[in-house]
Amino acid sequence: MPRVSIMSVIRSEFLKLRTLRSTWLSFAITAALTIGFGALISYLTKMQFPKMSFIEKATFDPIAISLVGTLFAQFAVGVIGALMITSEFVSGSIRTTLAAVPSRMRVLVAKAAVLKFSVLIVGLASAFAAFLLGQLIMSGPGIPTATLADANTLRAVLLAGLYLMLLSLLGFGLGLIIRQTAGTISAFVSILLVLPLITFLLPAAWRDAIAKFLPSSLGRSMMSAPGSITDIPLFGPWVATGVLVGYVVLLIGIGAFLFERRDV
């Protein structure tokens, strides 16, 4: 059987992705949540700014405010990542895929590449739109705003898009391991939503030591202005990015190991 090139597999996976209505719906939801919630929170913040205390005004972070929608969109991209692999396991079409491309690692790399670049493009576009719209809404006398001319601001917006992309890969890695859509989405939501709630109930010393390693806390660090005062200690933005990349590599590595050895 002739060897199938990686570019052919990538084109095939991209065709699968763009011909599904659920893909376009998921991307639309991602953009709507990122931009819509960013605009809403920016508007509400502008209305409340005059009533804020001196400390609240001194620690005001206009970047994080305009990018807050990513904290809602992260669930949408996790679903996209999960469906990228679990939909084929559930439907059984993974057998057809592997019959056409016997190299499982080639299929895995192609799927991850298509997912990564698709979500990165949508994530970056949404993050820049949310930031610009948020700063426009918040602009006014006495309210500090940010500009992309500042390197730290540009870094935060770029990492916001990267954060969404990494979370989609996190969902993809969980999907490789669990292989069921409902179970994967439940695990993803638990990591992002339930674990922070459990951590909050721990003694303060434990909470401060553990919370900064949670994906949601890593996202806050990636999208915050330097020196921002937070309720828990956070890593620096680049360290946080490295930790999140490590999680993705670990999960996809475990998933790839199991994918090679399991029956389909």
Side-chain angles (χ1 to χ4, degrees), residues 38-234:
L40 175 61
I41 301 302
S42 296
Y43 174 76
L44 295 176
T45 300
K46 181 178 182 177
M47 295 298 100
Q48 290 297 315
F49 190 81
K51 303 176 185 178
M52 290 183 182
S53 66
F54 174 78
I55 295 178
E56 288 174 325
K57 290 181 179 180
T59 58
F60 184 74
D61 184 357
I63 305 172
I65 293 295
S66 61
L67 295 176
V68 72
T70 57
L71 300 180
F72 298 92
Q74 63 187 357
F75 297 103
V77 296
V79 171
I80 294 172
L83 289 175
M84 186 75 180
I85 184 67
T86 60
S87 60
E88 291 205 45
F89 282 119
V90 172
S91 67
S93 61
I94 189 67
R95 296 185 181 88
T96 304
T97 298
L98 294 179
V101 187
S103 172
R104 296 193 176 195
M105 286 302 100
R106 198 173 291 265
V107 170
L108 182 59
V109 169
K111 285 182 177 294
V114 169
L115 175 66
K116 176 175 68 176
F117 287 113
S118 299
V119 177
L120 184 61
I121 291 171
V122 174
L124 285 174
S126 301
F128 274 98
F131 172 79
L132 294 173
L133 181 58
Q135 300 310 302
L136 179 63
I137 291 172
M138 287 189 290
S139 62
I143 303 179
T145 55
T147 172
L148 291 174
D150 179 72
N152 286 315
T153 301
L154 181 60
R155 179 268 305 161
V157 179
L158 289 172
L159 289 187
L162 183 64
Y163 174 66
L164 293 177
M165 183 267 282
L166 289 173
L167 285 186
S168 72
L169 291 174
L170 199 70
F172 181 76
L174 287 171
L176 272 173
I177 296 170
I178 300 172
R179 304 207 298 180
Q180 291 186 349
T181 303
T184 300
I185 293 174
S186 297
F188 184 84
V189 171
S190 296
I191 290 171
L192 289 183
L193 196 60
V194 179
L195 279 183
L197 294 177
I198 295 174
T199 304
F200 180 76
L201 300 175
L202 298 175
W206 290 21
R207 182 180 66 240
D208 291 347
I210 296 172
K212 62 183 178 181
F213 287 95
L214 299 177
S216 53
S217 297
L218 297 174
R220 287 177 59 191
S221 177
M222 292 166 69
M223 292 178 277
S224 297
S228 297
I229 298 176
T230 57
D231 53 340
I232 57 171
L234 296 176

